[in-house]
Amino acid sequence: MNNRVKKEIDNIYNTKQKNALRQKEIRLLEVYESCPQIKETDSLIKSASMALSHNKAGLRPGDKLWALLSEKEKTYFGMSSEQLVMSIDKLKLQKNELLVQQGYSQNYLEDVYECDLCKDTGYVKEDVVQRRCTCYKKVMISILKKQSVMFNENHTFENFCSEYYSDAVNEEDYGIPVSPRVHMQKVLSKVKKFAEDFDNPDMDNMIFSGRTGTGKTYMANCVMSRLLDKGKEVLFMPAGSLFKPFAVYESEEREMMNDLRDMIYGCDLLIIDDLGSEKMTSARYSEFIDILNTREQAGKKNIITTNLTPKNIRDTYDERISSRLLGTYDIYRFTGDDIRLRRK
């Protein structure tokens, strides 16, 4: 996870903890106002607990503390540890009874967390190991969806409609021996399997190749939506923006671009949209190869959408790139009429 995402998550959990503390303070003031006796009982519990700590440490209260204590509170400092424990338990029982009498639940003044499992920290402790709480993933997913300008929450496998593809068989126009509808149903099945078995190292990267308006970006969004729901880190980058983080920037922009570059290298899935629309230079060729190599070595996966055919890819990119894309990626042909026109 890049530092920017982690920082935003940390801020969210800090806010959660502050809200929990504020909520507890509001409830405390409410109860104290309706029943001053509960406030007095809390004060006695605090003093008895303080006396117990002094007793266990073999200490006596200082002059300043002693001057602040009531006569009742001073008696606690003359008790044994056993007596103090019994007194504290009795006071807590009395407090619970008072709460119930006032119409509150016994735990009304306990901490109020959005997630009781992690106490709004994002982490739970198992023995000596801390792991991320289930709520942490939900927070991370919401941030990643928000940060992706290409993400559309309506583009899901469930909403994918093959009815927008022609059921006519026309190999000359569509380049396939079956109808676009039948063909795209098969493509959908294979892409869904990629998303479901994403952690399987044998699942190959994918290229979605086809004319504009045949659903390539929509399908990539379907994968993104499914993986984000699984807690994966997905970055959707238009090809024209892929190389921006590798340029030289002023200091105020550098940190943001460093984070984006780290995410390009390290996210679980990198989606490069509309490959072939970018302007390539010798430097960008090197950067592209570096991206592909680094991600491959780290076991990260990629999806590429493009209007280019395999032949166009071979003609557009040098051998280092074209051989890698055509030789190690599963290529899915998207065919049919422009869906956007059929929807009208």
Side-chain angles (χ1 to χ4, degrees):
M1 183 193 311
N2 68 69
N3 290 333
R4 197 163 136 208
V5 173
K6 186 178 185 306
K7 185 176 180 181
E8 186 166 352
I9 293 175
D10 289 343
N11 289 337
I12 288 174
Y13 277 101
N14 286 336
T15 301
K16 285 176 181 286
Q17 292 175 54
K18 289 177 181 177
N19 289 340
L21 181 60
R22 189 179 301 113
Q23 183 65 27
K24 184 177 181 179
E25 290 172 346
I26 290 171
R27 289 189 174 192
L28 200 61
L29 290 172
E30 172 196 339
V31 169
Y32 284 174
E33 185 175 346
S34 68
C35 184
Q37 194 176 348
I38 293 177
K39 182 177 182 180
E40 294 170 9
T41 305
D42 264 346
S43 181
L44 292 175
I45 292 173
K46 182 178 179 181
S47 297
S49 298
M50 191 184 306
L52 182 59
S53 298
H54 278 69
N55 188 294
K56 288 181 176 179
L59 300 173
R60 293 191 57 81
D63 293 340
K64 288 184 178 179
L65 173 60
W66 191 255
L68 295 173
L69 298 174
S70 67
E71 292 304 316
K72 172 64 176 176
E73 291 170 328
K74 288 177 181 178
T75 62
Y76 291 134
F77 288 87
M79 293 182 178
S80 66
S81 294
E82 292 77 10
Q83 290 174 320
L84 285 167
V85 170
M86 291 178 61
S87 295
I88 292 170
D89 288 343
K90 185 178 179 181
L91 287 166
K92 287 181 177 178
L93 182 60
Q94 179 182 329
K95 175 183 174 180
N96 288 340
E97 290 174 350
L98 289 169
L99 282 168
V100 173
Q101 289 173 13
Q102 295 296 317
Y104 298 106
S105 64
Q106 291 186 6
N107 63 355
Y108 187 72
L109 294 180
E110 293 178 5
D111 292 315
V112 184
Y113 298 112
E114 287 187 30
C115 179
D116 291 326
L117 191 62
C118 69
K119 312 300 184 191
D120 289 346
T121 64
Y123 292 87
V124 292
K125 192 172 183 179
E126 293 181 347
D127 296 327
V128 294
V129 179
Q130 278 195 328
R131 64 173 178 81
R132 288 177 183 171
C133 183
T134 52
C135 69
Y136 191 100
K137 281 189 175 182
K138 293 178 181 178
V139 172
M140 183 173 70
I141 289 167
S142 67
I143 292 173
L144 292 173
K145 286 181 177 179
K146 182 178 67 176
Q147 287 192 350
S148 175
V149 295
M150 299 298 295
F151 180 74
N152 187 323
E153 61 183 9
N154 294 317
H155 291 182
T156 65
F157 288 125
E158 292 72 23
N159 291 337
F160 186 88
C161 183
S162 60
E163 299 302 312
Y164 288 123
Y165 295 90
S166 171
D167 60 357
V169 178
N170 190 327
E171 188 168 359
E172 184 177 347
D173 282 354
Y174 300 127
I176 52 175
V178 296
S179 72
R181 185 175 302 173
V182 170
H183 174 76
M184 289 308 300
Q185 286 170 342
K186 292 179 180 179
V187 171
L188 174 65
S189 177
K190 291 178 180 178
V191 175
K192 285 175 73 173
K193 182 172 177 55
F194 171 89
E196 295 303 326
D197 297 343
F198 183 76
D199 291 324
N200 183 346
D202 294 329
M203 294 299 294
D204 289 330
N205 298 314
M206 298 187 295
I207 292 177
F208 298 162
S209 171
R211 291 178 296 183
T212 299
T214 50
K216 302 184 297 296
T217 299
Y218 187 108
M219 187 75 81
N221 251 308
C222 292
V223 179
M224 182 178 189
S225 180
R226 182 62 56 86
L227 292 183
L228 286 175
D229 286 340
K230 287 185 173 185
K232 300 298 183 182
E233 192 171 29
V234 184
L235 181 62
F236 203 129
M237 289 291 291
S241 302
L242 182 64
F243 304 102
K244 285 184 178 180
F246 298 87
V248 177
Y249 287 88
E250 297 297 328
S251 57
E252 62 267 16
E253 295 179 285
R254 192 175 300 145
E255 183 176 355
M256 181 180 68
M257 288 300 167
N258 285 344
D259 284 343
L260 184 55
R261 186 171 64 247
D262 290 344
M263 198 166 180
I264 288 173
Y265 283 131
C267 63
D268 297 311
L269 175 67
L270 174 64
I271 299 174
I272 303 173
D273 190 48
D274 202 16
L275 187 72
S277 62
E278 76 287 350
K279 293 182 180 179
M280 294 300 289
T281 63
S282 58
R284 286 185 171 182
Y285 273 118
S286 298
E287 289 160 1
F288 195 20
I289 282 290
D290 186 47
I291 291 169
L292 297 177
N293 283 341
T294 302
R295 292 188 56 77
E296 181 180 352
Q297 291 167 7
K300 306 296 184 180
K301 291 187 172 68
N302 309 316
I303 290 178
I304 294 173
T305 77
T306 181
N307 293 346
L308 302 176
T309 64
K311 182 182 183 306
N312 295 148
I313 291 175
R314 208 175 279 112
D315 293 340
T316 303
Y317 297 96
D318 68 13
E319 180 67 20
R320 295 174 301 166
I321 294 175
S322 61
S323 62
R324 181 182 298 271
L325 297 182
L326 299 177
T328 62
Y329 283 60
D330 287 337
I331 301 176
Y332 294 102
R333 182 170 185 173
F334 281 61
T335 188
D337 302 315
D338 192 324
I339 294 173
R340 289 167 292 194
L341 296 179
R342 291 178 66 90
R343 282 176 177 169
K344 292 181 178 179

